[in-house]
Amino acid sequence: MSENETITQELCKEVDMKDGEMQEFQVQGQSILLVRNNGIFSATGNKCSHYGAPLSKGVLVGDRVRCPWHGACFNVRTGDIEEFPGLDSLPCFKVTVENGSVCIVTTKKALESTKRVKSMSSRSAGDRSSVVIIGTGPAALVFAETLRQEGYTGKIVMVTREKHIPYDRTKLSKAMNVKAEEIYLRPTEFYKEHDLEVWTEKEVVSINTDEARVKFKDGSFLQYSQLLIAVGSRPRELKCPGSTLQNVFYLRCPEDAGAIFEAASSKNVVILGSSFIGMEVAAFLADKARSISVIGKSDVPFQAVLGKQIGEEAMKLLKDRGVNFYMRTEAREIRGNNGQVNEVLLRNGTLLPADVVVVGIGVTPASNFLKGSRIAVDTKGAIYVDQVLILCRVLYY
Ligand SMILES: Cc1cc2nc3c(=O)[nH]c(=O)nc-3n(C[C@H](O)[C@H](O)[C@H](O)COP(=O)(O)OP(=O)(O)OC[C@H]3O[C@@H](n4cnc5c(N)ncnc54)[C@H](O)[C@@H]3O)c2cc1C
Ligand code: FES
């Protein structure tokens, strides 16, 4: 059978599915999601374009299915992604209903891919405008891709102070030994193909909105027609004595994750903070470090965001894996030897041995460089000032 030859396969009988129902079917080895809504059948790929969760196990509301793992939403009529995370849409298939039989009509080629990249414009030499995006996180990348999907033909430049093209930061606390290249959101060729420039190791130090240009730490400038600030956040800094000793780590980029992973193997690790970063790092290092102690100010981990019941369960799971918890307290002092951490004194008087300290006590917007500019920062959302759009945080837990 040639790859473009039409395949018609019966999926079910019309009476087998009620309105508002969805079911998974296998067609030539590919998992298909069949939905019946308002009497109409539609079929898309069943694997979420983010990390492949089966959408048939998600929630259908109207024409939208929400992924059961991290909540991405797809339109079941078109396969288009409508809420993130995830960058790509789903393949969408023709469905026929004849004599009570519901059939998918497709080709072998169309069944090959579980993702669909939306079509994008490219740069036109005649378009002299430029959009500069500070940041290469998911907010920046989705923005850049959306511009091309919507037909923008000017120059698009994303700049980052980090060493890497856009990557999945969320992996860093779950697979700390991952190589940055393994978690790139798009391959290098993608940016070339769609005329998206990514400038790495270019830290922005100020913005001049009167002259419409950004200044970099190396002294160079970049002119923009429109500017998006999508700089995310930076870890909140620890203020107690000893916080600058060697082996006190924050977790933000692949280099941080790799350094913590190397330093922590078979060592005593103290983790300050019992929310997502602290708990995920504890879970990852549980079978690698000699000891792990998690310090938290609340009664149980995750209390502020997920409540006591879930916090208790999470604490129990990690206790069963040998993680020690010191709750309702915080670090008073980090003590060192020859500039290197060797113990942590808690406010409740407990003294813990420590070769490595990981600080995960929250984040603040990475907007320091805006001081002195005319740009106001609203940490709750996005605002426009003189052709400048600010996206302060994107959350998709
Ligand atoms: C270890 C870790 C694990 C996480 N796990 C999860 C998870 O499981 N689920 C979840 O929903 N969220 C998770 N998060 C949070 C999630 O990563 C963020 O919410 C998300 O990355 C925010 O996206 P963003 O595009 O707004 O900014 P960011 O991803 O923070 O990107 C900001 C970008 O701005 C750049 N930048 C900042 N300042 C400057 C400057 N002055 N000059 C140039 N460039 C600059 C940075 O280099 C970076 O490219 C995690 C975060 C971390 C650190
Ligand atoms: S796997 Fe679907 S949102 Fe992550």
Side-chain angles (χ1 to χ4, degrees), residues 152-171:
Y152 179 66
T153 54
K155 178 174 169 168
I156 300 177
V157 186
M158 288 183 268
V159 302
T160 174
R161 61 179 170 199
E162 296 185 49
K163 289 184 180 159
H164 304 282
I165 60 174
Y167 62 86
D168 187 351
R169 193 182 301 285
T170 68
K171 286 279 183 191

Side-chain angles (χ1 to χ4, degrees), residues 252-384:
R252 186 82 202 138
C253 60
E255 291 69 29
D256 297 334
I260 296 170
F261 175 72
E262 270 192 23
S265 291
S266 308
K267 295 285 167 47
N268 297 310
V269 178
V270 173
I271 298 173
L272 305 180
S274 62
S275 197
F276 289 100
I277 297 283
M279 291 294 278
E280 289 180 359
V281 170
F284 182 77
L285 294 178
D287 56 354
K288 299 167 189 77
R290 184 189 304 151
S291 74
I292 298 192
S293 307
V294 174
I295 321 300
K297 284 212 276 190
S298 48
D299 297 338
V300 294
F302 296 130
Q303 192 165 330
V305 271
L306 300 178
K308 253 189 161 174
Q309 210 180 339
I310 292 178
E312 270 163 16
E313 286 302 314
M315 183 153 85
K316 187 175 172 305
L317 281 175
L318 285 192
K319 274 186 175 172
D320 290 347
R321 296 182 60 201
V323 175
N324 305 305
F325 284 86
Y326 298 84
M327 302 306 292
R328 291 182 291 275
T329 190
E330 60 188 317
R332 174 182 289 172
E333 184 185 346
I334 300 177
R335 295 177 177 167
N337 196 359
N338 292 327
Q340 172 121 0
V341 169
N342 75 347
E343 44 189 32
V344 176
L345 176 64
L346 305 184
R347 284 216 178 276
N348 67 9
T350 308
L351 194 59
L352 296 169
D355 305 300
V356 170
V357 171
V358 181
V359 184
I361 55 171
V363 290
T364 52
S367 52
N368 273 0
F369 67 99
L370 294 178
K371 276 186 193 143
S373 75
R374 293 200 298 117
I375 301 168
V377 181
D378 170 357
T379 55
K380 292 196 180 75
I383 50 170
Y384 274 109

Side-chain angles (χ1 to χ4, degrees), residues 134-140 159-162 169-174 202-205 216 230-233 251-253 277 280 366 369 391-397:
I134 310 179
T136 54
V159 302
T160 174
R161 61 179 170 199
E162 296 185 49
R169 193 182 301 285
T170 68
K171 286 279 183 191
L172 298 178
S173 47
K174 298 151 189 89
K202 292 290 271 186
E203 179 168 352
V204 175
V205 289
F216 295 104
V231 289
S233 44
L251 177 54
R252 186 82 202 138
C253 60
I277 297 283
E280 289 180 359
F369 67 99
L391 282 179
C392 282
R393 280 177 89 187
V394 173
L395 287 176
Y396 55 86
Y397 275 106

